[in-house]
């Protein structure tokens, strides 16, 4: 009887060891899966310039290549993003008739976003109240005093906040490419609203791009001081 008891005990020990081994294997597999998923969706630090901008028209869900149309009409969007530790910062640049334009407000706005490698999505970091405070602070920097400007400020803040609320409801996904990435924005009905294709620049190209952007911003900042109509200060989103 004693020998049989020892045999059962050994069988239980073996069963427990096997079970623990299976659990460990599953946990390791899950961990490795998460690790490879992170590596697959990891966006390296650097500057990424937009090569192609597609968005749906006002009449259908068909995407239109606005970059191609802009090249034909001498009006281009030359936006770029800077990535650091999976944090993304968007920079808007519009070129019309060969002249670049940087909005003083959009330069200072700086909406922080984060790449989430687990879901392959780009998420907004600020709450609505945090964003509203940021907008008010930046509009105060460039606006003038007076009742007309106060009215414009109120309207502009509301437009920006409404736009940000819309951004929070939208789904933003990203796809890592060998030397770049693609950002896709989905509308509430599930259709693609816009798609931007970016190429990662070399350090020399990034430095040149940022220097040009800073010069354009300084020019825009100096130029806006000459605005003499309160309507010029309205923020259109």
């Amino acid at each position: 009887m004693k020998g049989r008891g020892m045999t059962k005990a050994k069988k239980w020990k073996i069963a427990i060891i096997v079970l623990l081994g299976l659990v460990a294997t599953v946990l390791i597999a899950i961990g490795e899966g998460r690790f490879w998923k992170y590596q697959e969706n990891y966006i390296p630090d650097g500057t990424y310039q937009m090569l192609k901008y597609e968005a749906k028209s006002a009449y259908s869900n068909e995407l239109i290549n606005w970059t191609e149309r802009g090249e034909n009409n001498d009006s281009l969007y030359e936006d770029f993003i800077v990535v650091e530790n999976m944090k993304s910062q968007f920079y808007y640049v519009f070129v019309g008739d060969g002249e670049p334009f940087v909005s003083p407000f959009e330069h200072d706005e700086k909406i922080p976003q984060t790449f989430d490698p687990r879901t392959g999505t780009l998420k907004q970091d600020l709450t609505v109240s945090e964003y509203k405070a940021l907008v008010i602070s930046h509009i105060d920097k460039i606006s003038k005093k007076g009742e007309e400007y106060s009215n414009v400020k109120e309207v502009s803040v509301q437009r920006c906040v409404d736009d940000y609320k819309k951004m929070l409801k939208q789904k933003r996904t990203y796809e890592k490419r060998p030397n770049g990435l693609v950002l896709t924005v989905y509308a509430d009905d599930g259709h693609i609203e816009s798609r931007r294709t970016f190429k990662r620049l070399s350090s020399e190209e990034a430095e040149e791009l940022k220097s040009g952007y800073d010069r354009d911003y300084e020019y825009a900042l100096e130029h806006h001081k000459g605005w003499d109509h309160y309507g010029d200060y309205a923020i259109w989103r």
Side-chain angles (χ1 to χ4, degrees):
M1 294 294 292
K2 185 177 180 180
R4 288 182 180 179
M6 289 295 292
T7 301
K8 288 182 178 179
K10 288 180 178 179
K11 287 181 178 179
W12 275 108
K13 287 181 180 179
I14 293 173
I16 292 173
I17 291 172
V18 170
L19 179 61
L20 292 175
L22 289 173
V23 171
T25 301
V26 171
L27 292 176
I28 291 173
I30 293 174
E32 288 182 344
R34 289 177 177 173
F35 171 79
W36 289 113
K37 186 68 174 177
Y38 182 88
Q39 291 300 314
E40 180 184 4
N41 289 330
Y42 174 76
I43 303 298
D45 290 358
T47 300
Y48 296 75
Q49 186 166 31
M50 187 173 71
L51 300 179
K52 186 178 180 182
Y53 171 55
E54 301 168 277
K56 68 179 185 179
S57 70
Y59 308 103
S60 72
N61 290 319
E62 179 183 0
L63 291 181
I64 296 175
N65 187 339
W66 291 103
T67 301
E68 188 176 77
R69 288 198 174 189
E71 290 172 348
N72 296 331
N73 298 318
D74 199 21
S75 60
L76 297 170
Y77 293 98
E78 296 186 351
D79 305 336
F80 63 96
I81 58 175
V82 175
V83 179
E84 185 175 356
N85 295 326
M86 296 294 279
K87 297 284 186 180
S88 171
Q89 182 58 63
F90 207 97
Y91 293 81
Y92 300 88
V93 182
F94 175 75
V95 179
D97 296 327
E99 294 294 329
F101 173 75
V102 173
S103 166
F105 174 77
E106 289 180 336
H107 173 278
D108 294 333
E109 187 180 27
K110 297 291 187 298
I111 304 177
Q113 297 174 311
T114 301
F115 290 103
D116 185 349
R118 298 169 301 172
T119 60
T121 57
L122 183 63
K123 298 183 176 180
Q124 311 296 330
D125 292 348
L126 301 180
T127 64
V128 174
S129 59
E130 289 172 335
Y131 174 72
K132 183 176 181 179
L134 184 69
V135 170
I136 292 174
S137 172
H138 293 324
I139 288 182
D140 283 342
K141 289 181 182 179
I142 64 173
S143 189
K144 294 182 177 181
K145 304 299 182 183
E147 184 178 350
E148 297 91 346
Y149 297 99
S150 297
N151 292 337
V152 168
K153 172 183 173 181
E154 184 178 343
V155 173
S156 296
V157 169
Q158 192 58 53
R159 283 177 183 157
C160 292
V161 170
D162 289 344
D163 187 64
Y164 191 71
K165 288 179 179 179
K166 178 183 175 183
M167 290 176 66
L168 291 177
K169 292 179 181 179
Q170 292 171 326
K171 180 180 179 181
R172 282 171 161 73
T173 65
Y174 71 94
E175 178 186 350
K176 182 179 178 181
R177 294 288 176 86
N179 192 33
L181 59 97
V182 176
L183 297 180
T184 304
V185 178
Y186 292 86
D188 294 340
D189 59 6
H191 288 92
I192 295 178
E193 192 166 276
S194 67
R195 183 164 55 210
R196 291 176 169 87
T197 302
F198 294 84
K199 175 188 176 183
R200 187 171 183 234
L201 302 179
S202 65
S203 56
E204 293 79 9
E205 291 171 328
E207 184 176 351
E208 182 179 351
L209 178 66
K210 190 62 168 60
S211 296
Y213 178 85
D214 291 340
R215 287 195 302 270
D216 295 335
Y217 166 68
E218 291 299 330
Y219 174 81
L221 198 62
E222 184 66 27
H223 179 68
H224 105 275
K225 293 178 181 178
W227 295 350
D228 55 5
H229 190 273
Y230 64 87
D232 293 332
Y233 291 86
I235 305 297
W236 296 91
R237 306 308 300 257

